[in-house]
Amino acid sequence: AARERNAETVAMQEESTRKQEALRQQTELAIQAERRMTDERKAELDKDVARAKALAEAEGRANEAKLAEDVNRRLLGDRLEAQRKQALEAINATFQHLGKAAMTLLTDRQKLVSFAAGTTALALGVFGARESARV
């Protein structure tokens, strides 16, 4: 009877040990499955973060290029406006000098006579040279 009880106790202990081992293995498998799922979620989140970061960087570069283009366009406009003003000032100065010269020429009789004589002599010289070269 004691042997039977010992045998029963040993059998029960072995059964308990097998159940504990099976439970431990199930727990280990569940932990491994959880870890795999966690790693997969982490990889997916990392991929999403990388995609979002790349998109944000691309948008940042596009905005930066647009701002640089706007600045360049404004600088070009300013430069062209300065050149236009400079050209207008040069034209106005030229016409002012020509106007003063014409007024001087028209108001000073001696200069008007000299100008008319010089222009006539120049015209005679040009036409005379052309006629003599034809011969």
Side-chain angles (χ1 to χ4, degrees):
R3 271 187 195 203
E4 281 181 25
R5 270 188 268 152
N6 278 344
E8 260 182 53
T9 304
V10 168
M12 284 172 46
Q13 285 177 348
E14 287 177 356
E15 182 64 27
S16 175
T17 303
R18 275 192 296 273
K19 284 181 181 178
Q20 284 179 349
E21 183 63 26
L23 185 60
R24 188 191 62 75
Q25 286 179 351
Q26 280 182 334
T27 304
E28 182 72 27
L29 290 174
I31 289 172
Q32 288 177 359
E34 248 338 282
R35 281 185 186 153
R36 276 193 302 273
M37 286 175 41
T38 301
D39 289 345
E40 288 172 4
R41 281 191 213 131
K42 184 179 182 296
E44 192 175 310
L45 286 174
D46 287 346
K47 192 166 67 170
D48 289 345
V49 166
R51 186 179 310 125
K53 183 178 177 184
L55 183 62
E57 286 176 357
E59 286 177 356
R61 282 191 300 272
N63 286 340
E64 202 172 286
K66 184 178 178 184
L67 289 175
E69 184 178 322
D70 290 345
V71 167
N72 288 339
R73 185 176 295 127
R74 191 168 9 96
L75 289 175
L76 178 62
D78 292 347
R79 192 173 338 137
L80 290 175
E81 180 65 20
Q83 288 175 351
R84 184 185 71 78
K85 283 182 180 178
Q86 186 179 11
L88 281 175
E89 287 172 1
I91 290 170
N92 285 338
T94 302
F95 280 117
Q96 282 177 352
H97 288 301
L98 288 175
K100 285 180 184 178
M103 286 304 286
T104 302
L105 190 62
L106 293 174
T107 56
D108 188 352
R109 191 165 181 81
Q110 179 63 34
K111 287 183 182 177
L112 182 60
V113 171
S114 297
F115 175 72
T119 305
T120 305
L122 178 64
L124 286 174
V126 168
F127 288 119
R130 192 172 84 184
E131 288 300 316
S132 65
R134 253 191 212 174
V135 176

